Amino acid sequence: MKKLIKNGTVITSTGADPAEVLIDGETIVAVLQPGSEVAASAEAGADEIIDASGLYVIPGGVDGHTHMELPFGGTVASDDFENGTRAAAWGGTTTIVDFAVQRAGESVRDCLDQWFAKAEGKCAIDYGFHQIIGGVDDQSLKDMDALVDEGITSFKLFMAYPGVFLSDDGQILRAMQQAAGNGALIMMHAENGLAIDVLAEQAVERGETDPVNHGLVRRAEFESEATHRAIQLAKVGAAPLYIVHLSASEALEQVAIARDRGANVFAETCPQYLYLNVEDHMDRGFDGAAYVCSTPLRTKHAHHHEDLWKGLRTNDLSVVATDHCPFCMKDQKELGRDDFRAIPNGIGGVEHRMDLIYQGVVNGEITLPRWVELCATTPARMFGLYPKKGTIQPGADADIVLYDPNRTWTISEENHHMNMDHSAWEGFEINGHVHTVMSRGRVIIENDSYTGSTGHGQYLRRGLSDYLI
Ligand code: URP
Ligand code: ZN
Ligand code: ZN
């Protein structure tokens, strides 16, 4: 079955041009110049013509940071792989990389198998896994090598959440040395969890138990200190380092200094850190619980948003992911009604990343190619999925989004597809809208309907990061 997408503007990380895209089955086979002889003959041989007049033709989004069904804080993230990947598709994301979780004392192998079982036969779009190592020991270090051979080529460590996920500096160094040997990428949750817990305990002792305190005790200094420490450890461990969910200017500064010195250090941010803040979103009594996530939202009385947008332009921030980790208010966020420390951490947003970052184009913060690069191309390269994913070129999977820059709409809990009883993005006005989504050549969103199917999504055995040196 051959399909030709014509009359659209194809946007890749390198430019935006009128072009026609020929798909054969699941794969892009040609990108053609409109009006050329070869385009005419492609049209004559196509089984279906898709008219993309007035639309952008972009690679499907690659969200490198999601947590479907994550057990956390006595509950479980409210999107399973079926619902969460369908919501992703609605928003123009055609690949996710989710986090399998291992805690101290657990077998990495068994934990990973649990994640395979959760996802298999459920996903609307293709998916891969990172592995969280919550217990670094001789066995889990050995297991890292075996996982790399199976396509799990990145490992997340935590400097936060003492007693749950935290690795001490010695464990982190050992995991980095292991990664230096097997080619994996170390992903770091960089916050000083021990120091945070001191301030959190003191706040609760003073009776300051509202959600806003989550944002106040997780100080920017703690993020920047941990980021600096992770960078130094990675230098000694000789491993590439990827800082996840970076939110503070001070942490970005550490990444920029390291990169300027030539270190193989990368960082991701998320839409919540570009648009939301402590005062407007967390300081609203218990409703602020909807915005409890870690790293936290930052104060509006500093320049975090401006600095992060600048980092996206300068490539000190090279990826935008969602850290999609949804919890409902009812029965989930409510667990922390009397103590902010018991609020499960996370914001759901897998559906909105492409639209929210496109607002950066609308507002003049980034260019169209940079939008694609941040949301599709670089994550695909970073996580060993390129060039199958993240681009429009011959040989790539036909994961394609037709994006309508002229449609406007408003995000609401009433129109989203994530399994959440609220939206962190309620009332956000969006210029632009996903029009059509293809996953490996199959149309899964069109005419404001989902036309995909449960289990269409395939596991992606990932290669090593393109950014290894
Ligand atoms: O608040 C967050 N980010 N929840 C998910 C777990 C993590 O640290 O990424
Ligand atoms: Zn984290
Ligand atoms: Zn996360």
Side-chain angles (χ1 to χ4, degrees):
M1 174 81 171
K2 286 192 177 161
K3 294 178 183 161
L4 184 73
I5 303 174
K6 61 178 293 189
N7 303 324
T9 302
V10 173
I11 301 168
T12 65
S13 62
T14 54
D17 296 295
E20 302 187 359
V21 181
L22 183 64
I23 298 162
D24 190 353
E26 300 197 338
T27 311
I28 296 169
V29 292
V31 180
L32 306 163
Q33 200 180 339
S36 64
E37 235 171 76
V38 63
S41 92
E43 182 162 356
D47 302 294
E48 187 183 344
I49 306 293
I50 299 173
D51 181 12
S53 298
L55 304 176
Y56 295 141
V57 182
I58 63 171
V62 178
D63 190 342
H65 191 152
T66 68
H67 299 284
M68 306 301 171
E69 295 182 52
L70 174 74
F72 193 102
T75 185
V76 177
S78 57
D79 267 329
D80 61 13
F81 279 87
E82 182 171 5
N83 198 71
T85 56
R86 202 186 302 138
W90 274 101
T93 286
T94 53
T95 301
I96 60 163
V97 191
D98 201 86
F99 286 85
V101 179
Q102 179 258 3
R103 292 181 163 82
E106 294 175 346
S107 143
V108 175
R109 180 72 261 168
D110 291 352
C111 294
L112 175 61
D113 285 344
Q114 284 171 26
W115 253 260
F116 274 120
K118 286 183 208 223
E120 201 180 339
K122 298 276 176 50
C123 294
I125 55 170
D126 292 350
Y127 62 97
F129 294 122
H130 312 285
Q131 179 70 52
I132 286 175
I133 306 283
V136 176
D137 57 26
D138 289 342
Q139 186 57 46
S140 58
L141 288 168
K142 248 191 239 147
D143 291 341
M144 284 170 68
D145 293 352
L147 263 59
V148 169
D149 294 337
E150 278 186 58
I152 289 108
T153 53
S154 40
F155 297 89
K156 182 177 176 190
L157 303 173
F158 288 78
M159 302 169 107
Y161 306 128
V164 185
F165 288 129
L166 181 140
S167 292
D168 65 30
D169 292 351
Q171 290 173 312
I172 290 170
L173 182 60
R174 278 171 29 117
M176 286 172 165
Q177 289 170 332
Q178 198 77 20
N182 63 30
L185 182 68
I186 293 293
M187 307 172 80
M188 189 63 75
H189 181 129
E191 284 188 292
N192 187 326
L194 292 166
I196 287 168
D197 278 11
V198 170
L199 293 195
E201 193 178 334
Q202 291 168 348
V204 171
E205 279 167 9
R206 288 193 301 271
E208 294 161 7
T209 58
D210 271 358
V212 68
N213 294 290
H214 174 91
L216 299 177
V217 302
R218 299 186 90 92
R219 299 272 299 255
E221 290 88 338
F222 295 153
E223 187 184 352
S224 113
E225 182 276 328
T227 303
H228 176 78
R229 186 158 35 101
I231 289 167
Q232 303 312 310
L233 291 168
K235 193 170 168 190
V236 176
L241 176 67
Y242 177 96
I243 305 288
V244 294
H245 48 53
L246 187 147
S247 64
S249 304
E250 295 87 336
L252 177 59
E253 204 179 339
Q254 296 301 323
V255 171
I257 291 168
R259 288 176 60 80
D260 287 351
R261 291 180 182 157
N264 214 15
V265 170
F266 306 91
E268 120 199 323
T269 193
C270 312
Q272 50 269 34
Y273 307 123
L274 294 163
Y275 292 106
L276 310 179
N277 64 66
V278 177
E279 292 81 7
D280 295 341
H281 300 95
M282 299 191 75
D283 202 0
R284 355 164 132 176
F286 191 69
D287 287 350
Y291 299 91
V292 165
C293 61
S294 299
T295 56
L297 306 187
R298 297 294 173 196
T299 176
K300 67 177 179 185
H301 303 301
H303 298 107
H304 300 290
H305 292 175
E306 294 90 319
D307 291 344
L308 296 192
W309 280 111
K310 184 170 152 213
L312 291 173
R313 287 191 293 277
T314 61
N315 206 36
D316 287 327
L317 291 168
S318 41
V319 170
V320 179
T322 55
D323 194 7
H324 176 72
C325 193
F327 295 102
C328 290
M329 292 297 277
K330 187 169 161 20
D331 298 336
Q332 297 200 296
K333 294 280 185 180
E334 274 174 0
L335 292 168
R337 192 167 276 285
D338 300 325
D339 182 341
F340 67 86
R341 294 175 299 180
I343 299 169
N345 286 201
I347 287 185
V350 75
E351 187 170 348
H352 300 316
R353 182 183 61 127
M354 301 301 285
D355 287 316
L356 288 165
I357 303 308
Y358 179 68
Q359 303 317 292
V361 177
V362 174
N363 298 333
E365 298 280 5
I366 54 171
T367 62
L368 278 169
R370 185 66 179 154
W371 171 48
V372 166
E373 189 168 37
L374 291 165
C375 294
T377 316
T378 302
R381 285 183 182 279
M382 189 67 69
F383 301 125
L385 294 166
Y386 187 87
K388 252 169 99 79
K389 305 295 186 191
T391 190
I392 294 182
Q393 66 182 49
D397 282 353
D399 287 5
I400 296 176
V401 174
L402 307 187
Y403 195 81
D404 182 351
N406 294 313
R407 189 161 155 193
T408 56
W409 62 293
T410 304
I411 298 179
S412 169
E413 182 262 325
E414 282 165 20
N415 60 23
H416 75 196
H417 301 86
M418 300 175 287
N419 184 27
M420 294 174 71
D421 59 5
H422 64 279
S423 172
W425 305 100
E426 189 70 39
F428 264 68
E429 288 176 13
I430 300 292
N431 290 293
H433 195 274
V434 168
H435 182 283
T436 301
V437 180
M438 276 186 204
S439 167
R440 278 181 283 105
R442 173 168 173 186
V443 174
I444 59 171
I445 298 286
E446 79 180 327
N447 300 325
D448 290 326
S449 300
Y450 174 69
T451 56
S453 61
T454 301
H456 163 80
Q458 293 179 351
Y459 171 66
L460 296 165
R461 204 185 176 96
R462 296 183 294 116
L464 299 182
S465 172
D466 277 11
Y467 297 102
L468 287 182
I469 44 171

